[in-house]
Every structure is written in structure tokens, then in C-alpha cells.
Amino acid sequence: MIEITAAAINQFKKVLAESGETNQGIRIFVSSSGCCSSYGLDASEHGEPDDRTIEKDGLKIFVDPAADNELSNAVIDHENGFVIRGISSSCCG
């Protein structure tokens, strides 16, 4: 299961509040796949029908099935930006 640190949760809440999206959560999704997947984050009120919903510290996080599978042992953190650690991937090339 994806782990999301307190620093990341706090930053997600801050970004949503600053944009006026206080009734929304964060959606994590695969934005491109193939040899090297990349991931996206977006504000979402309900997520998509197949998304898994996680609630942590009052924040709803919607995870699309592909991201849920690929990031199953990952940690999402915020340092000088959002980072994802623990992805076991090998890129082509």
C-alpha cells in the first residue's frame, strides 16, 4: 500500500487551500506508461469509479488502479517538492 508522509499530506492540504479547492482531495494516477512510468497529481472531488480512496488526516486521496499497483510499496513525501521513493522500476534504454 502507498505510504504518504505527514509532510506530503500537509503540503497537499496547503496547495488545495491556496487554490480554493477545500472540498477536494488529491488524485494520484499514471500519466504515461511503457518502459518508464510517470505519475500525476491532481485535485479531484470524487476520483474515478475504479480508484481506491484513502483518507489520511482529513484528506481524501484517490489512487487509480495502475498507480495503486505500481506504487504499492512506495512512499510519497514532500521535501523541496513532492517525491516518490521506493519505486522498483527499470527504464528502457
Side-chain angles (χ1 to χ4, degrees), residues 3-79:
E3 180 185 337
I4 304 167
T5 67
I9 293 292
N10 290 336
Q11 188 63 26
F12 285 141
K13 287 180 178 179
K14 181 178 177 183
V15 168
L16 291 171
E18 288 174 353
S19 65
E21 305 290 348
T22 55
N23 65 335
Q24 298 207 5
I26 296 294
R27 182 164 190 265
I28 303 169
F29 57 94
V30 175
S31 60
S32 67
S33 59
C35 287
C36 297
S37 294
S38 60
Y39 305 95
L41 302 169
D42 202 1
S44 179
E45 190 169 349
H46 302 290
E48 296 295 322
D50 291 340
D51 289 353
R52 182 168 64 92
T53 303
I54 303 167
E55 276 199 58
K56 187 166 181 181
D57 297 328
L59 178 69
K60 286 189 179 181
I61 302 152
F62 309 104
V63 185
D64 87 358
D68 199 24
N69 183 49
E70 292 183 23
L71 300 175
S72 64
N73 295 313
V75 176
I76 298 176
D77 198 1
H78 187 272
E79 293 167 350

